[in-house]
Amino acid sequence: MTDNIALGEHRDLLDIIDSLRSQGVSHYVDLPEIIVCGDQSAGKSSVLEAISGMPFPTKDGLCTRFATELILRRGRENSTKVSITPGESRFGEDKERLESWQPKGNIGREGLGTVTDEAKCAMANPTSTYEFYEDILRIELTGPEQPHLTMVDLPGLFRRGNKEQSDADVDIVRSMVEKYMARPRSIILTVVSAKYEYVLQEVTLMAKRADPEGLRTMGLITKPDTLDVGSDSEKYFIRLAQNLEEELRLGWHVLKNRKFEERDVTSAQRDAIESEFFRNGLWGSIDSSHCGVAALRARLSAVLRDQILSQLPGLVRDVEDGIHDCADRLNRLGPVRGTPQQQLSFLLRVSEEYTSLATQAVEGMYTDRFFGSRKKVEKFHTRLRAVVQGQLRGFADEMRLNGQSQDIIDSDSEGQDGNKLRDMPRISRSEYIGGVADRLKYSKGRELSGLFNPLIVSDLFIEQREPWGGIVKLYAEEIVEAAHLTTQLIVEHITPSDIAEGILRLVRQEIEKLKAVMDAKINALLASAAQHPITYNPQLTENVQRIQQARHKRKIKKLVRSTFGLRRFDNPDSKISLNPIELVNLVGEGFETDMERFGSALAVDYMEAYYKARCFSQ
C-alpha cells in the first residue's frame, strides 16, 4: 500500500499533517514528524542544507534558541515562505504579533542566517532572561528538486557554557530535546559525527532512553571523511552504518558534509563530490541507498510517509477524543450568559446538576456516568458513601487494635486473641493489678477489704481511652477531605474551570465552618467519656462475668495440664479418675488470697468490661 501511494497523495498527506501542526493541534495531539537531534557541531545544519539546498546558519559553540520546522514540497516553481508558530504560552496580542510576523531579509540572497536572527528578535521578551522559546520557526520551501518531507530541527546539545550560552542553558536544551523525543509518533533522526567517539555523544544515550528498542530511531553519520583511512575508528563507523554495532529498525545513513574549502561550490558539485567519496575505499561496501544526500531525501520521505500511514488510525482516535473532550468542556460552559436572566438560568442548571450528583454520592446510588463503573478505580473518589464506609471500617479496626493506651496481657492467654497485632505498649495483668493495688491504698474509703473505690474504675478507664482523641480526629479529618474532594470533582464536572474556582472557594469556606462545628462536637463527646462512668448497658455485668469465667477456665486448664500432663489432657479419649476430695482441692487451687490484689483485680475486670461496653456497644 505504502509503495503504491501516488506522489500527489503523498503530498496531500503531509500537507494535512502540517496544516494540523500549524493550527496548534500538536499542543494537544502528538503528530507524526521527523525530529533532527544531535550534539553541537555534529553537522546538523549541513545535513539540513544538503537536503533542502538552502544555506543554514552554522556557528560552532552557539545553538539556535528555538525549534525550526523545515517543510519541503515538490513543485514547478521555487518559492519560500517563512513564519512563526507561537508556543502554548503565547496569548492575545503577543500571539497575534508572532502569527503576523514576516521577515524583512531576502531569504534567497541572504540565506536563513538573517531570517533566524530576525525570528529570534521577534520571539525575545525584553522583560525575561529566558533565552529559549517554545515558538517554532516555520520554513516552507517548494521547488522541482525538493522531496516531500517535513522535519523539525532542534537546538544542538552541549555540555558546558561559554560567552554565548550559559551552563543553565545546558539543561534547558536537554529538556527541550527530551520533550520532543518522548512523543510516541516522532521519528528520531540521530545525527552522529564521525569526528568523535560514538559512546561519548550525548544524543545517542538520550535516544536510547526515549526509544529503548530502536523502533522509531534512525541514525545519521556525518563527517566520515575526517576518519583516517583503514583505522579502527573508520571500521567501527562502517559497521555502525551497516546496522551491526547499534541495531535500529530504520537503520543508519551516511552523509559527507561540505568542507570549509567547499563552501562556495554549488549543490550539484557538492553532491558529485559526495558520490565520488562513497565510491572509494571501505565506504564503497555500504549499500548505496544508505549513502549520500540524494538517497537520504528519498529515504526520509518514505520513512515519514510510512510513519503517518501507520499512525493514522491512532491519530484519528486521538483527534476524535480531543473533539469529544472539547465538546464536553464547551457543554459545561453552557449557553451564552450575557443578561442577568441568562446568568440566573445557568446557575439554576448548575444547582440542579450539583444536587442530583451530590445526592447520589451521599446515598450510594451511583447511576450517573459521572461515577464511572465499579471497575474504574480512578472514579472511586466520586463515590462518597463508599469512601466513607471504607474510612469507618478502618476507624473500627484502629479502635480495636490501638484504642487503648496499654494492652493488658494475661500470661495464660498471651498470643491467643490476636493481641500480637497491636502496636500499643504491653503490660502483664499481674503487673497492672499491682499498680492498681498501690493506687487503691491512697483512695481508701468505707469499702470493705477485697472491695474497691468505684472512682478507680473511672480513673483507669480515662487512662485507657487516651488514644481515642487522636484516632477520632484523624479519621474525621480524612472524612472531611473525602467530602471536599467529592464536592470538588462534582463542581469541576458541571462547570467550566473559571467558574468552578469561584464556587470551590465558597465551598472551602463553608466546609471550614462545618469542620469547626464537627470538631466542637467531637471534643464534647470525648469530654463526656472522661466523666464519672455510668452505663445501663447489661453487657457490663455480662462482660465482667465472661472475663472472670474465661480466666478461671484458663487456670483450671493449666492446673489439669500440670497435674496429669499434656499428653493425656490433649487426647480427647483420655479418662482421669478423681475422688471428690481431689477434685475440690484441684478446683480450689489458684484463687487469690491477697484481699487487696483481689479487689484490684476486680476493679480491672470492671474497667475492661466498661471499656468494651462504651467502645463496642454500637
Side-chain angles (χ1 to χ4, degrees), residues 34-196:
I34 294 177
I35 59 172
V36 185
C37 314
D39 293 3
Q40 277 189 8
S41 304
K44 287 194 306 96
S45 297
S46 297
V47 171
L48 297 173
E49 178 181 328
I51 293 174
S52 65
M54 178 67 64
F56 271 69
T58 59
K59 185 178 179 181
D60 292 343
L62 178 64
C63 69
T64 54
R65 305 290 179 164
F66 44 82
T68 302
E69 185 178 350
L70 180 62
I71 301 169
L72 306 177
R73 295 292 183 269
R74 185 170 301 172
R76 293 182 179 179
E77 298 180 358
N78 291 315
S79 65
T80 303
K81 181 180 178 183
V82 181
S83 60
I84 293 177
T85 302
E88 291 182 72
S89 60
R90 303 284 189 177
F91 295 99
E93 295 181 358
D94 191 31
K95 180 180 180 182
E96 293 176 0
R97 177 180 62 83
L98 291 180
E99 288 177 336
S100 60
W101 172 84
Q102 291 292 327
K104 296 178 181 178
N106 188 313
I107 192 172
R109 292 196 308 269
E110 304 173 10
L112 294 175
T114 302
V115 171
T116 300
D117 291 339
E118 288 185 35
K120 177 184 174 182
C121 293
M123 296 176 189
N125 184 349
T127 63
S128 173
T129 58
Y130 186 65
E131 294 294 337
F132 289 83
Y133 312 103
E134 294 179 340
D135 313 308
I136 299 173
L137 178 61
R138 182 181 172 94
I139 302 172
E140 302 177 53
L141 301 177
T142 303
E145 302 299 326
Q146 296 290 4
H148 290 311
L149 181 61
T150 301
M151 298 184 296
V152 179
D153 178 37
L154 300 179
L157 298 162
F158 58 99
R159 293 179 177 83
R160 190 174 303 170
N162 54 31
K163 292 181 180 180
E164 302 290 343
Q165 51 198 23
S166 68
D167 289 336
D169 294 339
V170 174
D171 294 330
I172 295 175
V173 173
R174 171 188 284 272
S175 178
M176 181 186 294
V177 174
E178 286 177 342
K179 180 181 177 182
Y180 273 87
M181 282 185 171
R183 296 175 180 176
R185 294 192 177 100
S186 294
I187 296 295
I188 305 172
L189 182 61
T190 305
V191 181
V192 177
S193 172
K195 288 183 66 175
Y196 311 106

Side-chain angles (χ1 to χ4, degrees), residues 87-371:
E88 291 182 72
S89 60
R90 303 284 189 177
F91 295 99
E93 295 181 358
D94 191 31
K95 180 180 180 182
E96 293 176 0
R97 177 180 62 83
L98 291 180
E99 288 177 336
S100 60
W101 172 84
Q102 291 292 327
K104 296 178 181 178
N106 188 313
I107 192 172
R109 292 196 308 269
E110 304 173 10
L112 294 175
T114 302
V115 171
T116 300
D117 291 339
E118 288 185 35
K120 177 184 174 182
C121 293
M123 296 176 189
N125 184 349
T127 63
S128 173
T129 58
Y130 186 65
E131 294 294 337
F132 289 83
Y133 312 103
E134 294 179 340
D135 313 308
I136 299 173
L137 178 61
R138 182 181 172 94
I139 302 172
E140 302 177 53
L141 301 177
T142 303
E145 302 299 326
Q146 296 290 4
H148 290 311
L149 181 61
T150 301
M151 298 184 296
V152 179
D153 178 37
L154 300 179
L157 298 162
F158 58 99
R159 293 179 177 83
R160 190 174 303 170
N162 54 31
K163 292 181 180 180
E164 302 290 343
Q165 51 198 23
S166 68
D167 289 336
D169 294 339
V170 174
D171 294 330
I172 295 175
V173 173
R174 171 188 284 272
S175 178
M176 181 186 294
V177 174
E178 286 177 342
K179 180 181 177 182
Y180 273 87
M181 282 185 171
R183 296 175 180 176
R185 294 192 177 100
S186 294
I187 296 295
I188 305 172
L189 182 61
T190 305
V191 181
V192 177
S193 172
K195 288 183 66 175
Y196 311 106
E197 290 188 41
Y198 174 82
V199 295
L200 297 181
Q201 300 186 55
E202 196 166 4
V203 69
T204 60
L205 182 60
M206 293 176 63
K208 190 73 174 178
R209 289 200 197 101
D211 181 28
E213 298 180 6
L215 299 179
R216 55 186 183 90
T217 301
M218 179 175 173
L220 178 59
I221 302 170
T222 62
K223 305 179 182 180
D225 53 319
T226 62
L227 295 168
D228 293 329
V229 177
S231 66
D232 290 340
S233 294
E234 184 185 50
K235 294 175 182 177
Y236 174 84
F237 276 98
I238 287 175
R239 291 195 304 273
L240 191 66
Q242 293 171 338
N243 212 20
L244 299 177
E245 289 290 340
E246 293 290 335
E247 186 175 354
L248 301 175
R249 183 178 68 86
L250 299 177
W252 289 81
H253 202 93
V254 189
L255 194 70
K256 180 185 176 300
N257 298 69
R258 190 195 301 256
K259 294 181 180 180
F260 177 77
E261 55 269 22
E262 298 170 353
R263 63 188 182 279
D264 295 326
V265 302
T266 64
S267 295
Q269 290 172 328
R270 178 238 169 253
D271 294 351
I273 294 171
E274 181 182 56
S275 298
E276 178 65 23
F277 173 80
F278 287 120
R279 281 196 295 267
N280 299 316
L282 294 175
W283 296 101
S285 63
I286 299 174
D287 188 338
S288 59
S289 62
H290 291 182
C291 296
V293 66
L296 180 61
R297 293 190 190 105
R299 193 174 175 189
L300 289 177
S301 181
V303 165
L304 180 58
R305 176 199 63 196
D306 293 345
Q307 179 73 351
I308 293 174
L309 290 175
S310 66
Q311 295 292 325
L312 203 53
L315 180 60
V316 171
R317 284 194 300 270
D318 287 352
V319 171
E320 289 176 346
D321 290 343
I323 292 173
H324 291 155
D325 179 64
C326 184
D328 184 59
R329 286 157 60 183
L330 286 173
N331 183 56
R332 277 186 283 159
L333 282 173
V336 177
R337 303 186 295 277
T339 66
Q341 183 60 41
Q342 291 172 336
Q343 294 169 5
L344 178 61
S345 298
F346 171 76
L347 291 176
L348 287 174
R349 180 184 67 81
V350 170
S351 176
E352 290 173 357
E353 290 185 18
Y354 174 81
T355 301
S356 174
L357 293 176
T359 300
Q360 292 183 48
V362 171
E363 294 184 351
M365 305 295 291
Y366 315 116
T367 57
D368 194 277
R369 67 184 182 89
F370 165 73
F371 299 100

Side-chain angles (χ1 to χ4, degrees), residues 427-447:
I427 185 171
S428 69
R429 180 180 176 79
S430 176
E431 182 182 353
Y432 189 77
I433 290 174
V436 173
D438 290 339
R439 295 171 63 171
L440 281 174
K441 294 176 183 179
Y442 300 99
S443 59
K444 282 291 184 180
R446 296 182 178 183
E447 67 274 7

